[in-house]
Amino acid sequence: MKTIRIAPSILSADFGRLAEEVRAVEAGGADLVHVDVMDGRFVPNLTIGPVVVKAVRAATQLPVDVHLMIAEPERYVESFREAGADLISVHAEACLHLHRAVEQIRASGARASVAVNPATPLSAIEWVLDDLSMVLLMTVNPGFGGQRYIPQVTRKIAALRALLDRRGLDVDLEVDGGVHPATIGAAAAAGANVFVAGSAVFEAPDYRAAIRALRAGAEE
Ligand code: DX5
Ligand code: ZN
């Protein structure tokens, strides 16, 4: 059983007080800080770029987990790495040459991850698994915080963990979208070990208690 890690998504933070919000989740027991980058093309929403990643990097000692929901992510890998990303996820659906994109992330010095949308089959990442630190399974359709966990993905989590075990690969399995104390247990039982939570943390009155509740839900 891999260690449970909680990654609050700053998408639901107060951007007017971003550094303070990042410090608050670090003090509250977060393990990573998740940053959602959206371009208005790959997903129907616009968020932030490398300058904000740089501000997050300056505010925390925690690893910065950058989730690129952008078309042609290869164009920006180095910029996000230079801004301070420790881990970079590109979407399988956004890369024409996924293996090349993964190599590019590794060459930048960041840890490489591939994200897959709920409807994308695991076969899309099967042949790059050996080169990854992490796989990010979307448990909502990407674009917005506060959506509902799609229960069918739980079986996909289990299938991916079984595939990784069969291949003897020590790869983190992150889930993102609709993760709350009520949904996290099923994802953890299926084999996820890194949990992104936006609204479940930043909309709670007490971040430490929210993170503790998520961890308890995952460890049940
Ligand atoms: C969805 C983003 C998520 C989102 C999660 O497109 O990738 O990281 O912020 O938000 P919650 O936890 O509120 O579903
Ligand atoms: Zn995300």
Side-chain angles (χ1 to χ4, degrees):
M1 183 78 185
K2 289 172 76 76
T3 317
I4 299 296
R5 287 190 287 149
I6 308 292
S9 162
I10 62 160
L11 188 60
S12 297
D14 177 352
F15 273 72
R17 300 186 297 109
L18 185 58
E20 214 179 294
E21 293 273 73
V22 168
R23 286 193 291 265
V25 291
E26 180 168 13
D31 300 295
L32 306 161
V33 178
H34 186 82
V35 180
D36 287 308
V37 177
M38 306 187 187
D39 66 350
R41 278 181 66 204
F42 182 70
V43 290
N45 194 6
L46 277 169
T47 56
I48 63 172
V51 290
V52 176
V53 170
K54 198 170 170 196
V56 170
R57 168 75 292 151
T60 183
Q61 302 292 319
L62 294 177
V64 178
D65 172 25
V66 174
H67 178 192
L68 298 180
M69 286 162 277
I70 64 177
E72 298 178 69
E74 304 86 349
R75 294 171 59 198
Y76 297 101
V77 164
E78 283 77 20
S79 306
F80 282 101
R81 173 60 181 165
E82 280 158 27
D86 295 288
L87 193 63
I88 297 177
S89 297
V90 291
H91 267 264
E93 305 85 359
C95 296
L96 201 50
H97 302 285
L98 182 59
H99 180 269
R100 180 180 286 153
V102 168
E103 290 296 301
Q104 191 189 348
I105 298 170
R106 284 156 53 103
S108 80
R111 286 193 283 138
S113 163
V114 175
V116 291
N117 284 335
T120 301
L122 292 176
S123 58
I125 54 169
E126 195 178 339
W127 299 107
V128 294
L129 286 177
D130 296 84
D131 299 317
L132 301 181
S133 296
M134 186 171 87
V135 175
L136 195 179
L137 291 186
M138 291 306 303
T139 41
V140 297
N141 291 296
F144 304 94
Q147 303 183 83
R148 283 175 59 165
Y149 181 93
I150 299 171
Q152 294 91 309
V153 182
T154 301
R155 279 173 51 215
K156 193 177 179 186
I157 298 167
L160 176 57
R161 182 53 77 194
L163 174 61
L164 292 169
D165 288 349
R166 227 168 27 243
R167 301 252 301 256
L169 295 172
D170 181 24
V171 172
D172 287 317
L173 201 169
E174 180 174 62
V175 288
D176 184 2
V179 172
H180 289 274
T183 53
I184 196 169
N193 67 301
V194 185
F195 302 89
V196 178
S199 47
V201 172
F202 286 103
E203 284 173 17
D206 178 345
Y207 298 168
R208 170 174 291 278
I211 291 167
R212 200 186 307 120
L214 287 165
R215 212 181 289 282
E219 281 165 357
E220 250 166 31

